[in-house]
Amino acid sequence: MDYRKSAQGVLDHIGGSGNIVSAAHCATRLRLVIADNSKVDKEAIESVDGVKGCFEASGQLQVIFGTGIVNHVYDEFIDLAHIEGSTKEDVKAAAAEKQNWFLRAIKTLGDIFVPIIPAIVASGLLNGLLGGLSSAFPAIAKSDTYNIINLFAGAALSMLPILIAISAAKKFGGNQFLAAVIGFIMIHPSLINAWSVAGLEEAGKHIPTLSVWFGAWHVDQVGYQGHVIPVIIAIFLMSKLEKWLHKHVPAMFDLFVTPLVSVLVTGYLTLTIIGPVFSMVESWVLHGAQALIGLPFGIGGILIGGLYAITVVAGLHHMYNMIEAEMCSLAVPKNTWMPIATAANVGQGAAALAVAVKTKDKKIKSMAAPSSLSAFLGITEPAIFGVNIRFMKPFIAGCIGGAAGGFVAAISGVYATAYGITGLFGFLITTQSVVMYAVTMAVAFIVAFICSYVMYKDPVKEEKAEDKKDEAAEQAGDQEIASPVAGEIIPLNQVPDETFASGVLGQGAAVEPSEGKVYAPADGTVTTFFPTKHAIGITTDAGAELLIHVGLNTVELNGQFFEGKVNEGDRVKKGDLLLTFDMASIRKAGYKLVTPVLVTNPDMYKEISPAREGLIKQGEPLITARV
């Protein structure tokens, strides 16, 4: 392909160089921050030679070219636009600055809640497991083992303010240990447990109060178990105060003065002002969400299910973490929002699957099929941005399916005991209403699939000369690609990165490495070796174009902890050492080491599949490509 022509095509359809705020690239995507998005023609960009997809996410316009191509297109793009290249972090910062205060606030909520999702999921799964066991075997609820596990199940939710405080401090740049102290203050045993208040009031018992601000007013002596907003506001204040103190307190006193003042001031303001005020605001939000879901005739479910995907496109869906966290932190966790969200996600997945079934375009089919599976597992971005929004009618069909499923969820009262999981895995946290959860998903799927299948039509394209890839593949025959690393095989659709999981960059498998060495998976030529050393492209002698991408987002390390053993253009034999990497340091820096191994020219083959599952040694068959 002509890299300069492709770069010019992208530049022309984003409004020219004057419309670019920042530009960078990773191993697969051109990442752009645009000044005026109304000047961007996504449909035209997707028609540019080499473009495999185009979508907006986190304030960035991401144009997918794939490994071995994007770096060449980027160089030409920078030259044509007469701008300086930026790092990936620069682009993220520029994208964040470009967003308005409301979107930045919503994103902040997501950044705070996402890290603590595993803890909430663990509690939710244990609650669901115990609920299912006690329903099937009532006697088990009297056993000591049941009581011990029940203690585990309630730990994360009862200590939720501490978890949120630690995560918020990391986001706001405050001391996480001081934040934990503030979180503990809010649920201190000296305060009445918030979940016990209703029982005391029903029994006619008086709730003691505290006289604050020199007797100016009184506040209830009640803790903040299960509360979210007051904790975030408190840690935001603490972080700002702590930074100010570090800047103004002399170094010799900083160790003593800053922690003391930060805890004293923040703690007192939290218990006397922030807590009482924002817990009331929080109750309004929670009651509003519950009232919406509870609208008669399932109207609330229809509205939420139908509009949910639109909020994903707008980047507003992060705020739902807060609503679900509040629902899960009630004395009896009852997350009625999650099943409706599942209906919306399944609807988008079914709409994309209908496109995959109906289309005759191999490129569209190769994007739509894997992205639909990703949506059924709760990751909808590939289906929404890569397929449905692109053709619009499937997106509308997905929204209709989401509304239908949301209606079923609302009238049936199906609920989850945790949050952070949707789709098929949601059965793990909906053990109290498994049947209706399945019905919700089925209705969303059927309605969305039928609507999308009826509405979708392949776009009309100009005839192009057929290339000779199929003939070359037939001559080469079936190929076995060996694993370049030792470790545990992970199905590609379970990789926690939507671009890889959707298969838009190619088909194959991933490996969680057990040692920091990457070997050549076949005889061939090193066609691409990124300066950051985290990704390497190889064209095998049989014609397969491979991408080995060590870790997720490891481009941000700028080559740190990686050491290349070959150069671009080198001939390699199967088993030759290509690069080494420091596993411990990369993990300590906060990056996952999941290593996708992809065939990036899948159109040459009829089928590309993992050779097997489980543990694998370096050099054993990982991928089979059949012609």
Side-chain angles (χ1 to χ4, degrees):
M1 63 177 285
D2 188 331
Y3 301 124
R4 194 168 186 84
K5 184 178 179 181
S6 296
Q8 186 66 60
V10 174
L11 186 62
D12 291 342
H13 298 309
I14 63 171
S17 59
N19 200 32
I20 302 171
V21 175
S22 183
H25 78 91
C26 58
T28 57
R29 285 160 277 180
L30 193 63
R31 295 171 177 262
L32 309 174
V33 177
I34 305 300
D36 184 358
N37 288 326
S38 65
K39 296 180 180 179
V40 175
D41 187 341
K42 294 181 188 175
E43 187 174 340
I45 291 174
E46 289 174 341
S47 67
V48 171
D49 185 30
V51 173
K52 297 182 178 180
C54 175
F55 62 92
E56 287 184 51
S58 302
Q60 302 174 30
L61 178 69
Q62 301 189 20
V63 185
I64 303 173
F65 280 100
T67 183
I69 299 177
V70 68
N71 51 319
H72 297 297
V73 174
Y74 175 75
D75 291 340
E76 298 292 349
F77 183 86
I78 294 298
D79 183 56
L80 289 169
H82 305 294
I83 60 175
E84 292 185 4
S86 306
T87 66
K88 191 177 171 185
E89 287 303 313
D90 291 336
V91 170
K92 283 185 177 180
E97 287 298 321
K98 186 172 175 285
Q99 292 179 320
N100 61 47
W101 68 268
F102 179 72
L103 289 179
R104 289 200 301 272
I106 295 299
K107 183 179 183 301
T108 296
L109 286 176
D111 291 342
I112 291 171
F113 282 103
V114 168
I116 65 175
I117 282 178
I120 304 301
V121 168
S123 285
L125 293 176
L126 287 172
N127 273 319
L129 175 64
L130 292 177
L133 288 174
S134 61
S135 297
F137 310 101
I140 201 172
K142 300 178 181 179
S143 70
D144 290 339
T145 300
Y146 179 95
N147 291 329
I148 291 173
I149 298 177
N150 190 44
L151 182 150
F152 303 161
L157 296 178
S158 63
M159 298 296 167
L160 185 62
I162 297 177
L163 297 178
I164 293 175
I166 293 171
S167 185
K170 184 176 181 179
K171 173 63 180 175
F172 297 136
N175 184 297
Q176 291 174 263
F177 297 100
L178 292 180
V181 172
I182 298 299
F184 183 75
I185 288 172
M186 299 181 73
I187 56 173
H188 197 281
S190 297
L191 302 173
I192 296 174
N193 190 303
W195 292 326
S196 304
V197 171
L200 292 175
E201 290 176 342
E202 290 176 2
K205 295 184 178 180
H206 174 69
I207 305 298
T209 60
L210 299 169
S211 176
V212 298
W213 294 100
F214 308 104
W217 66 83
H218 292 74
V219 296
D220 289 341
Q221 191 176 329
V222 176
Y224 291 89
Q225 285 82 2
H227 286 273
V228 173
I229 296 179
V231 187
I232 296 174
I233 300 298
I235 302 308
F236 176 78
L237 171 65
M238 187 211 78
S239 300
K240 291 293 184 182
L241 176 60
E242 183 191 359
K243 291 177 183 178
W244 187 90
L245 290 168
H246 280 313
K247 186 176 180 180
H248 291 87
V249 174
M252 64 183 299
F253 301 115
D254 184 57
L255 178 62
F256 310 103
V257 173
T258 299
L260 171 64
V261 176
S262 296
V263 171
L264 180 61
V265 173
T266 304
Y268 194 77
L269 288 174
T270 297
L271 292 184
T272 60
I273 298 177
I274 295 173
V277 172
F278 286 98
S279 61
M280 186 177 299
V281 172
E282 186 177 73
S283 69
W284 294 341
V285 173
L286 179 59
H287 291 151
Q290 291 172 328
L292 177 59
I293 295 173
L295 287 175
F297 311 113
I299 294 174
I302 293 172
L303 290 173
I304 299 170
L307 298 176
Y308 188 92
I310 297 175
T311 64
V312 172
V313 174
L316 302 177
H317 57 299
H318 295 295
M319 64 182 174
Y320 302 144
N321 286 318
M322 180 185 70
I323 294 174
E324 292 187 76
E326 291 173 359
M327 289 180 170
C328 290
S329 62
L330 297 172
V332 178
K334 213 167 189 179
N335 181 359
T336 51
W337 191 278
M338 172 269 187
I340 301 177
T342 286
N345 292 344
V346 169
Q348 293 300 321
L353 182 61
V355 172
V357 171
K358 189 174 183 180
T359 185
K360 296 180 180 179
D361 187 306
K362 289 184 179 180
K363 183 177 179 181
I364 296 173
K365 189 183 292 287
S366 67
M367 290 177 60
S371 66
S372 67
L373 177 59
S374 176
F376 299 146
L377 298 177
I379 303 172
T380 56
E381 283 82 357
I384 291 177
F385 294 111
V387 181
N388 297 351
I389 279 286
R390 178 180 175 185
F391 303 113
M392 190 48 70
K393 288 181 180 178
F395 180 73
I396 295 172
C399 291
I400 295 172
F407 167 78
V408 174
I411 61 173
S412 66
V414 57
Y415 67 91
T417 54
Y419 73 97
I421 298 177
T422 58
L424 294 173
F425 290 125
F427 282 108
L428 298 173
I429 56 174
T430 53
T431 53
Q432 301 297 317
S433 43
V434 171
V435 174
M436 289 314 301
Y437 184 70
V439 172
T440 296
M441 293 178 64
V443 170
F445 179 92
I446 294 170
V447 172
F449 186 92
I450 293 174
C451 290
S452 181
Y453 192 87
V454 171
M455 296 165 64
Y456 173 77
K457 291 182 180 180
D458 274 335
V460 178
K461 293 184 177 181
E462 295 181 4
E463 291 290 333
K464 291 185 177 181
E466 288 291 329
D467 58 32
K468 297 182 180 180
K469 286 185 177 180
D470 289 339
E471 181 182 347
E474 289 176 7
Q475 292 175 353
D478 294 349
Q479 296 182 59
E480 275 194 349
I481 310 299
S483 179
V485 295
E488 182 177 1
I489 299 174
I490 298 174
L492 193 62
N493 58 35
Q494 293 181 22
V495 173
D497 181 292
E498 61 268 19
T499 301
F500 289 114
S502 68
V504 69
L505 296 176
Q507 298 296 317
V511 179
E512 178 69 39
S514 58
E515 64 174 353
K517 295 180 180 179
V518 177
Y519 298 88
D523 295 349
T525 303
V526 178
T527 50
T528 307
F529 203 171
F530 285 83
T532 50
K533 307 299 181 186
H534 74 293
I536 187 167
I538 295 176
T539 299
T540 70
D541 291 345
E545 297 173 5
L546 307 179
L547 167 64
I548 305 167
H549 194 288
V550 181
L552 304 179
N553 296 316
T554 45
V555 64
E556 298 170 1
L557 292 170
N558 292 317
Q560 189 178 15
F561 311 130
F562 292 90
E563 183 178 351
K565 300 297 183 181
V566 294
N567 297 306
E568 200 168 291
D570 285 356
R571 285 277 306 158
V572 294
K573 291 288 186 180
K574 178 182 176 181
D576 286 351
L577 183 62
L578 302 179
L579 66 93
T580 60
F581 54 97
D582 186 337
M583 296 175 60
S585 296
I586 294 172
R587 285 194 175 113
K588 188 175 181 181
Y591 295 89
K592 297 181 183 296
L593 281 172
V594 178
T595 299
V597 182
L598 307 178
V599 177
T600 60
N601 57 338
D603 291 345
M604 284 185 61
Y605 306 97
K606 291 181 180 178
E607 181 185 5
I608 297 172
S609 59
R612 61 184 180 83
E613 298 181 357
L615 298 177
I616 190 169
K617 296 178 181 179
Q618 177 274 319
E620 293 182 340
L622 174 66
I623 301 168
T624 300
R626 298 182 176 86
V627 296

